Amino acid sequence: MQSEKYPLLFSPLDLGFTTLKNRILMGSMHTGLEEAENGFERLAAYFVERVRGGVGMIFTGGIPPNLEAGFGAKLSTHEEAEQHRIVTDAVHAAGPDVKICMQILHMGPLALQENCVAPSAIKSRVGKYKPIGLDEEGIEKQINDHVHCAALAVEAGYDGVEIPASGGYLLSTFLVEKTNRRTDRWGGTFENRMRFPIEVVRRTRAVIGPHKILTVRIPAMDMLEDGMTHDEVITLAKALEDAGVNIISTHFCWHESLIPTIATMVPRAAFTSVTGKLRKVLRVPLITSNRINMPSVAEAVLARGDADIVSMARPMLADPEFALKAREGREDEINTCIACNQACLDHTFGGKDVSCLVNPRACHETKLNYLPARAAKRVAVIGAGPAGLAYATVAARRGHAVTLFDSASEIGGQFNLAKRIPGKEEFHETLRYYRRMIEVNGVRLRLNTTVDASMVDRGSFDEVVVATGIIPRRPLIDGIDHPLVISYLDVLMGQRVVGERVAIIGAGGIGFDVAEFISHEGTSSSTDIDEFAREWGIDFLNHPRGGVCGVTPVARESSRTIFLMQRKTDPVGRGLGRTTGWTHRITLNRRGIQMFNGVEYLKIDERGLLTRINGEERLFEVDNVIVCAGQLSNRSLYDELTAEGLNATLVGGAFEASELDAKRAIQQASELAAVI
Ligand code: FAD
Ligand code: NAP
Ligand code: SF4
């Protein structure tokens, strides 16, 4: 079915032997379901929702072809292939016109295995073990294992396979000299270095036959100082075409490179021009990806001629109906991926179940469902921050009559502060989504209404939900009431002018965001690709080796002098998100922000902030001290209500402020609203 608004996105793509119904690919993501109890049934349910939601093609999470290739559910036996049938049968039954390909992922030196392998015994900066350098026999085994795995994937009912040759995984480590020091026919010249991926592809094609999809993910710009030149990328891509790939997928960056490619601070579609350049010289269709999270962005990528297919991975976690809503012109109902990584990649690397901050149903499709309520109740939700919004919209969607109150003039709670931080512009999308869900589900919204216990009429509501959030902690420091002390709320709302020399007490998520806010000058690089490229030292235009060789990041020093401090002796910023924290630390360091740990706060007076660090007193002569010292639950309303004998439910920060974030607030509220 065509779409007037997104004609390119919804145009079919003829691959010769088969046709993709549209250009929307759900990109590969390891979810952990592969190894979970009843994992294949859960995976099937997860994929089927995305099939019903309109995707044209799905690439599964990476499946290792053997034991040394990576952890988890490998595919090397007929019994294992049988398990995958649960997924492929379900997907094909739900969408006979949807293709599903299995990703064969050999992690090489990044595998969390002591017996991990690589072309040479060189440990990756981000690998756990030093890999075993492969001998000729070992190389043959690895190729054969890929081919055998591909044959089993076809036996299991997949429409094809994707093989990553990027990211620092096995195939890519053959491509560059830094990880391939071999002097035999698998190393040395570029022709020799690309022999391994080409052999994998050539032999795989021979085994799976001409009527299966074979895609390779190449390092189109690997972001390594000693990475591939643009000419080498083209040579590799052309050789892969000749070896039998149907589609080339482009990847940017090895995991060890210190350039963000998927965090929220990365501009939308920042890397697609790299794919576009390559597309001009290749015959096969190309896939592009990274930070493409709305249909208008995807359509623009196709309109520029940057790619033939747009891969969206995390956006499919955030909203399984992304494609359907786009096709029907309901894009304002899309729950947009905000690229926070908090519930997806941070969970993958933390060994936790993957889900999505804005959609806690992701990967929990068999466990968390919003079924029609047996009896409609009258529900009052007090507080329209993320917790109240999630509760109200889920409950209303299930058929309850919900009234949502907030004392502010707009919904969103602390998200209205988060969205002001340069690099967090995506938070606007979550608020747009909730505004629309309030309309679609008929939630009665009462803004500018501060609720007190006397206003909660027992006769009017069957359920009262208190989502009143938090109040900022005011630490007991001598001089905390001095006029130079400011709360982060006042800073972010622009209610106080901040001086030139500033100390920030508290280096958690909000301390870092405030440091970003007051040190930032000019355009936000997350909305400007050229600025982003300058800040991180990437040359998209000339594509030197790796895209970065010889390009110096241009740091925009802050005109303010900023000291960011914490009491803990851990390195500052350690508690930030696993996959994004490093980007914040690098950015602030480059701007000259000075970070201190192990700080004891002694006194604040007109001179500034007196501290003790490593046993020595130190005075920070500052104009302002900004307090970002965590949160306390705002539960006075709840206490009043329960004192009067009324039953109420607490959610979000009002329930528990310690270690609160939006992920927990939305998940808890959604789970509770699913069962009233
Ligand atoms: P809140 O968002 O605090 O909402 C509570 C609401 O209740 C408010 O709108 C308030 O007006 C209303 N209210 C209170 N009392 C009453 C009353 N008596 N009557 C009516 N209304 C009332 N989290 C993340 O996960 N990732 C991030 O990247 C992130 N970045 C952040 C950046 C900043 C700058 C800030 C400040 C927070 C950030 N957070 C982030 C934290 C996240 O926003 C909070 O965890 C989340 O908002 C908590 O949701 P909540 O609904 O419990 O509370
Ligand atoms: P937080 O991350 O818990 O950090 C609180 C900071 O205050 C810490 O640095 C803590 O360090 C300090 N602190 C705590 N008690 C103190 C006291 N009594 N005196 C002085 N300092 C004290 O909380 P937050 O920064 O307020 O953020 C709130 C939530 O929003 C967090 O859970 C966070 O995950 C979330 N958030 C996330 C992001 C993100 O990018 N993912 C961004 C912003 C906010 P010491 O105890 O060592 O001093
Ligand atoms: Fe996107 Fe964040 Fe959800 Fe991951 S957790 S899919 S990054 S919104």
Side-chain angles (χ1 to χ4, degrees):
M1 190 181 155
Q2 293 300 306
S3 151
E4 275 179 26
K5 224 163 166 187
Y6 309 110
L8 301 174
L9 201 52
F10 289 95
S11 62
L13 180 65
D14 186 0
L15 293 177
F17 59 94
T18 192
T19 300
L20 305 183
K21 69 171 184 171
N22 61 39
R23 308 304 180 97
I24 302 179
L25 164 69
M26 174 175 175
S28 175
M29 274 176 294
H30 188 92
T31 60
L33 292 178
E34 296 82 354
E35 292 82 35
E37 203 182 328
N38 300 323
F40 282 90
E41 285 79 3
R42 289 179 62 190
L43 266 180
Y46 156 74
F47 285 132
V48 162
E49 280 207 11
R50 275 79 193 161
V51 169
R52 296 201 176 115
V55 293
M57 179 158 67
I58 293 172
F59 287 173
T60 68
I63 301 289
N66 57 29
L67 283 172
E68 57 272 28
F71 69 98
K74 67 172 177 57
L75 176 57
S76 62
T77 68
H78 296 289
E79 293 71 38
E80 285 159 354
E82 202 47 40
Q83 287 286 302
H84 287 260
R85 269 270 164 214
I86 299 169
V87 168
T88 54
D89 285 350
V91 165
H92 289 137
D97 55 353
V98 174
K99 313 294 169 206
I100 179 162
C101 299
M102 194 192 84
Q103 188 187 77
I104 301 175
L105 177 62
H106 195 312
M107 295 176 75
L110 301 187
L112 298 174
Q113 251 86 359
E114 257 179 288
N115 63 343
C116 61
V117 297
S120 306
I122 297 167
K123 187 179 169 304
S124 158
R125 185 181 71 76
V126 293
K128 189 162 182 202
Y129 299 105
K130 184 174 176 184
I132 299 162
L134 289 162
D135 57 15
E136 183 76 27
E137 199 185 325
I139 285 182
E140 275 301 314
K141 175 185 182 310
Q142 299 307 325
I143 296 174
N144 289 337
D145 287 352
H146 275 87
V147 176
H148 182 53
C149 183
L152 288 170
V154 169
E155 177 185 314
Y158 287 106
D159 298 297
V161 292
E162 183 195 45
I163 305 176
S166 56
Y169 297 131
L170 182 67
L171 271 67
S172 56
T173 52
F174 275 87
L175 292 169
V176 287
E177 281 169 346
K178 78 185 229 105
T179 46
N180 183 349
R181 303 274 166 78
R182 304 180 72 95
T183 51
D184 59 6
R185 66 196 186 105
W186 305 101
T189 63
F190 188 65
E191 203 188 346
N192 279 354
R193 281 183 271 134
M194 66 179 192
R195 190 182 307 281
F196 184 88
I198 299 298
E199 272 307 290
V200 169
V201 167
R202 199 180 58 74
R203 296 193 213 173
T204 299
R205 172 56 80 202
V207 164
I208 65 174
H211 294 154
K212 293 288 168 198
I213 298 167
L214 176 52
T215 308
V216 172
R217 199 158 196 214
I218 62 163
M221 193 181 252
D222 56 30
M223 311 279 173
L224 300 171
E225 281 285 328
D226 32 17
M228 285 166 70
T229 64
H230 187 48
D231 285 348
E232 287 173 344
V233 174
I234 293 175
T235 306
L236 171 69
K238 288 190 166 175
L240 288 167
E241 277 185 331
D242 294 342
V245 298
N246 306 104
I247 306 174
I248 287 180
S249 176
T250 47
H251 193 208
F252 317 99
C253 213
W254 275 31
H255 295 305
E256 64 182 62
S257 165
L258 285 174
I259 292 187
T261 52
I262 57 169
T264 192
M265 56 154 61
V266 176
R268 290 173 169 188
F271 300 96
T272 65
S273 65
V274 179
T275 316
K277 222 163 143 185
L278 204 51
R279 186 167 175 261
K280 291 198 178 80
V281 297
L282 296 180
R283 299 187 306 271
V284 298
L286 272 99
I287 302 174
T288 197
S289 63
N290 288 47
R291 290 286 288 115
I292 301 169
N293 62 346
M294 284 301 275
S296 54
V297 184
E299 183 74 11
V301 165
L302 297 176
R304 281 199 299 272
D306 280 357
D308 301 279
I309 300 170
V310 178
S311 171
M312 288 174 273
R314 295 172 301 167
M316 297 297 158
L317 285 180
D319 196 330
E321 293 191 328
F322 180 100
L324 191 64
K325 289 175 179 173
R327 204 182 66 198
E328 293 176 354
R330 294 188 289 126
E331 53 283 296
D332 57 351
E333 293 178 26
I334 289 175
N335 197 359
T336 307
C337 166
I338 58 173
C340 64
N341 286 356
Q342 286 178 240
C344 52
L345 282 168
D346 284 349
H347 279 209
T348 304
F349 291 109
K352 295 187 198 157
D353 278 0
V354 165
S355 190
C356 170
L357 179 142
V358 298
N359 172 27
R361 286 198 65 248
C363 302
H364 294 74
E365 288 74 11
T366 57
K367 297 186 163 188
L368 177 59
N369 277 299
Y370 307 144
L371 303 174
R374 284 210 199 97
K377 291 182 176 177
R378 297 160 307 164
V379 184
V381 179
I382 303 154
L389 288 168
Y391 195 103
T393 53
V394 169
R397 170 180 166 168
R398 296 186 52 230
H400 295 298
V402 180
T403 311
L404 175 62
F405 300 90
D406 203 291
S407 33
S409 58
E410 58 182 338
I411 62 161
Q414 292 177 68
F415 262 33
N416 289 312
L417 301 173
K419 75 185 185 193
R420 289 165 190 259
I421 308 296
K424 284 194 159 177
E425 292 80 7
E426 293 290 358
F427 283 61
H428 282 280
E429 294 287 3
T430 306
L431 297 175
R432 182 263 309 145
Y433 167 76
Y434 277 121
R435 272 194 292 276
R436 185 73 187 117
M437 286 303 105
I438 285 170
E439 289 169 7
V440 168
N441 296 304
V443 173
R444 277 182 292 270
L445 183 61
R446 301 280 180 268
L447 294 173
N448 302 305
T449 310
T450 300
V451 177
D452 62 37
S454 68
M455 293 162 68
V456 183
D457 172 11
R458 285 158 198 258
S460 306
F461 298 107
D462 305 307
E463 299 276 345
V464 176
V465 178
V466 178
T468 46
I470 53 86
I471 39 176
R473 176 184 286 119
R474 214 166 159 72
L476 294 172
I477 301 170
D478 186 6
I480 192 73
D481 294 322
H482 192 279
L484 62 74
V485 178
I486 325 182
S487 150
Y488 69 83
L489 292 175
D490 291 337
V491 174
L492 298 179
M493 295 305 285
Q495 283 164 355
R496 289 279 302 269
V497 177
V498 179
E500 289 304 306
R501 292 177 60 83
V502 183
I504 301 175
I505 291 185
I510 293 178
F512 264 80
D513 275 355
V514 166
E516 165 70 38
F517 186 81
I518 63 170
S519 65
H520 188 96
E521 279 156 31
T523 352
S524 171
S525 59
S526 51
T527 57
D528 181 337
I529 296 177
D530 293 337
E531 191 53 46
F532 170 78
R534 257 194 303 279
E535 199 169 325
W536 290 94
I538 311 164
D539 184 347
F540 286 118
L541 203 62
N542 301 305
H543 197 146
R545 187 175 285 281
V548 295
C549 187
V551 191
T552 311
V554 181
R556 287 192 296 191
E557 284 251 343
S558 170
S559 58
R560 287 197 168 97
T561 303
I562 302 170
F563 309 100
L564 177 60
M565 37 189 93
Q566 67 179 28
R567 296 169 309 172
K568 284 187 285 292
T569 50
D570 295 344
V572 176
R574 174 171 277 179
L576 298 178
R578 199 164 171 143
T579 59
T580 51
W582 60 272
T583 60
H584 300 300
R585 286 190 294 269
I586 289 179
T587 305
L588 294 191
N589 272 321
R590 283 187 184 150
R591 285 198 197 143
I593 288 166
Q594 300 169 51
M595 304 187 193
F596 298 87
N597 55 6
V599 178
E600 192 184 339
Y601 308 112
L602 300 177
K603 188 175 183 183
I604 302 166
D605 59 24
E606 57 291 345
R607 296 172 305 158
L609 173 65
L610 182 65
T611 64
R612 187 177 294 119
I613 304 175
N614 293 331
E616 283 185 23
E617 282 196 8
R618 175 164 176 184
L619 175 69
F620 290 91
E621 291 177 16
V622 291
D623 306 310
N624 290 111
V625 175
I626 304 176
V627 180
C628 307
Q631 328 280 344
L632 301 172
S633 287
N634 176 20
R635 56 167 72 184
S636 53
L637 175 63
Y638 175 81
D639 292 339
E640 281 176 49
L641 292 172
T642 47
E644 292 182 7
L646 197 138
N647 262 340
T649 304
L650 275 171
V651 290
F655 171 76
E656 173 68 73
S658 166
E659 296 187 8
L660 167 73
D661 60 11
K663 177 180 73 176
R664 201 188 80 202
I666 292 174
Q667 183 188 348
Q668 185 210 15
S670 305
E671 286 174 358
L672 289 172
V675 295
I676 53 151

